[in-house]
Every structure is written in C-alpha cells, then in structure tokens.
Amino acid sequence: MSDYTITVSGGGHYPAAAAETLLEAGQRAGFGFPNACRNGNCLRCQGTLVHGSVRLRNGRTIRAGEAAADAVVYCVAHALEDCEINVPDMTAPGELPIVEAACQVTDITALNHDVSRVMLRLPAGKPVQWHAGQYLELLYGDAPAAFSIANARQGDGRDLELHVRHTADNPSSLEIMAQLRSDPIMRVRLPGGRRFLADALPDKPVWFVCGSTGFAPAKAMIEHLLTQRFAHPIYLYWGARRAEDIYLPALPAAWAAAGQVTYVPVLSESGNPDYRHGMVHEAVLADLTDPQRVEVHIGGSPIMAWAVFDALNAAGVPATAMHSDVFDYAPR
C-alpha cells in the first residue's frame, strides 16, 4: 500500500494509506474530523480539496481546482497522491474545538481590594472541553475580553472560574465588572491559548512564575498536575508589590503545607519578613539549580513576562522551555 501525506490547511499533516479514507487516516493520527454517518450522506466531514486528487468510494476522481473540489466528503475519499485539505471545525491533535455558549453568572466574590472571583456555569448538554492554562473570551461590547480560566476541568465540566482585576486606571475593567453584576447571562467563547497542560505531562519539574492575576492560569495548571499525581516537583513563585495584592493566599500555602508545591511569594515594595523581597524572577534565579531541565509557565503583563523570559534565558533556561500567552499575543 502506498502512503501519502495529507496536509491540513493551518493544522499540520498526517500519513494516509491508499486503502483507507482520509477521515480514517486523520482520526488515526489524532485529528478531530467532524463526522457522523461515515457513508457520505450527512456531509459533516465535507471540505475543500486544496491540492492533489482523491477517489471517492463510487469510483469518481476529484482533482483540486475542479468545481467538485469545494465539497469533498472525506469519509468516502481515498488519496491518490499527496493532498492538502481544508475542513471546517477540524482540530489538530491536542487542539480542542472552539465553541460559543451562554453562561450563567453564578457568583461574584471579592478576593482582595482589586480582584474578584467570577463563577460562570456552562449550559447543560454537549460538554465543552478545555485544557488547564487556557483562556476564554467574554463576548460583550465591541471587542471580546480575554480572561484565563482559573480552574482545571472537573466534575461535569460546566463551572468556569475567572479572576478579574478591576482598577480605576483601567476603566474597561470596571465596565466588565458592572456588566457581570447586572447581567445574569454572559456569552463566552472558549477555549483559547496554546500554552497549556494536557494529558501528556512534562517529564521534569514545572515552575510557575506569575504576577497579579497571572496566578489564575497557574492555579488551573497546578490543580491539573495535582489531580494527575504529577511525579516531579512543582514550584510557584508569585510576585506582587505588597502583601495585600496577593489574593487567595491560603490556597498556595495549603499546597505547600501538604508538601505538594514549593510556594514562594515575593514582594517588590515591602520588607515584610514573611515574604521574599525583590523582583519575582530574582527569587527564581536564586533558587534555580538546573536551568536546563525545567518547564516554566509565566503569567502576567507583557512587560513582566518578557522580563522573566530574558532573565531566565540568560541564566540558561532554554527559550523553548518557557511558555506564556504573552509570547503569542504580544510578541517582540
């Protein structure tokens, strides 16, 4: 049997044998192919043949560029050569489908002077998937507002936790909180972000370096690691200006007391003896003994995230071992 390479537009590629359909080969390689009947009737797996040629189960050959190439049904299509395909709603291995949903606002609790925890509940029905460390977008106003999902998926998977920082110097944050308090239903889009922890866990210690609500994705990923009984050390370094800026302080303290996480809070504007003093990346560098064998997740503002990246990279942490949504939405 001859093998061909099937390229998914914008989503990687996979091998396909001549005897198997492109749907079968794609699913075997971990691609999320939309499908239902698998006999060409429901059209769920229909897409565009961008390059190459295929033969359908009825013997018909379709080549890229023909009118029929805009509506190929891949559950009954076999590759005749290397092909490129485009299928709506198809996901790459490890990628999750993006959905929009109307969520119920179930609780809003102040966690400190400028951060509130907002709990949303997804509607019942088809489960929504996300990876620990990903974010959602609140769909209100002219532009969506992105917030990290602060909890790992658990139970029925319908509860979403957000940590929303709202300050007078950021009027849009006050508008968002006012909307959340006044409207019991909020539309969201999720999941977003490529910096997350999935089922395949790192085979090395994981360090979380965060500032302010950068703790939210760290919390979700730590919860995921603990649930999965992660075998390597977990480190959490949380930087703030003053002690009152660190919210939910009892949670990481409990992880540390249980021996699950090494927790180091760092204050830049206080000499409080219960905390490290200085910049958060300085505390990390003081304790980091094996920079070549770590995975680092950074949560915070673009300025903070890039400062941590530069400092750790200069100390020997490989660039490929450091992850932050900042690197994707605010690249240098």
Side-chain angles (χ1 to χ4, degrees):
M1 295 192 300
S2 299
D3 284 343
Y4 302 113
T5 297
I6 310 304
T7 300
V8 179
S9 299
H13 53 82
Y14 63 88
E20 60 185 341
T21 67
L22 271 66
L23 168 64
E24 292 169 338
Q27 290 183 319
R28 177 170 52 80
F31 283 81
F33 242 109
N35 72 96
C37 71
R38 302 177 73 90
N39 59 21
N41 291 326
C42 73
L43 306 183
R44 284 277 292 124
C45 62
Q46 183 174 277
T48 302
L49 180 63
V50 181
H51 295 296
S53 59
V54 299
R55 178 174 288 118
L56 304 186
R57 185 178 295 165
N58 62 11
R60 180 186 179 189
T61 296
I62 299 177
R63 296 176 177 83
E66 298 176 350
D70 291 336
V72 177
V73 182
Y74 289 106
C75 68
V76 294
H78 299 257
L80 296 175
E81 58 183 314
D82 292 348
C83 297
E84 180 179 347
I85 63 175
N86 189 339
V87 182
D89 300 324
M90 187 175 179
T91 58
E95 186 181 5
L96 299 174
I98 296 175
V99 301
E100 292 188 10
C103 291
Q104 180 184 2
V105 181
T106 59
D107 184 68
I108 299 177
T109 301
L111 299 179
N112 70 355
H113 59 96
D114 65 1
V115 176
S116 293
R117 176 172 53 208
V118 176
M119 297 301 301
L120 305 176
R121 188 151 177 80
L122 288 158
K126 185 177 180 180
V128 177
Q129 303 287 333
W130 75 87
H131 292 307
Q134 292 193 290
Y135 61 83
L136 61 73
E137 294 174 298
L138 297 180
L139 303 179
Y140 100 104
D142 296 330
F147 292 94
S148 294
I149 302 172
N151 60 303
R153 194 176 184 278
Q154 53 192 335
D156 62 8
R158 293 175 59 197
D159 292 316
L160 299 165
E161 177 180 346
L162 309 181
H163 297 168
V164 182
R165 186 166 183 259
H166 41 88
T167 60
D169 59 358
N170 184 1
S172 65
S173 67
L174 301 179
E175 294 174 5
I176 290 171
M177 286 305 303
Q179 183 74 20
L180 288 165
R181 289 190 175 101
S182 64
D183 194 340
I185 302 296
M186 180 65 66
R187 289 200 63 80
V188 304
R189 179 166 56 225
L190 76 159
R194 296 180 293 169
R195 315 284 181 154
F196 54 76
L197 292 178
D199 294 334
L201 300 179
D203 187 23
K204 51 190 171 182
V206 180
W207 293 61
F208 296 95
V209 186
C210 59
S212 188
T213 52
F215 173 65
K219 173 181 175 293
M221 287 186 275
I222 291 172
E223 288 177 350
H224 179 65
L225 291 174
L226 296 179
T227 299
Q228 298 300 312
R229 302 185 183 278
F230 186 58
H232 298 279
I234 303 170
Y235 300 86
L236 171 62
Y237 284 66
W238 191 355
R241 290 183 299 170
R242 301 175 300 274
E244 55 266 31
D245 294 331
I246 293 181
Y247 59 91
L248 289 176
L251 178 60
W255 291 334
Q260 298 171 309
V261 177
T262 297
Y263 171 49
V264 180
V266 184
L267 303 181
S268 61
E269 297 182 5
S270 171
N272 189 319
D274 295 330
Y275 296 82
R276 292 275 193 96
H277 179 69
M279 305 303 293
V280 67
H281 66 266
E282 295 171 343
V284 172
L285 291 175
D287 298 344
L288 187 61
T289 58
D290 189 358
Q292 290 291 318
R293 195 171 183 275
V294 295
E295 177 165 309
V296 181
H297 290 267
I298 307 169
S301 68
I303 293 175
M304 176 266 184
W306 282 115
V308 172
F309 175 91
D310 289 339
L312 270 58
N313 189 229
V317 178
T320 55
M322 291 184 278
H323 307 280
S324 175
D325 286 330
V326 166
F327 303 157
D328 299 320
Y329 76 77
R332 292 193 300 201

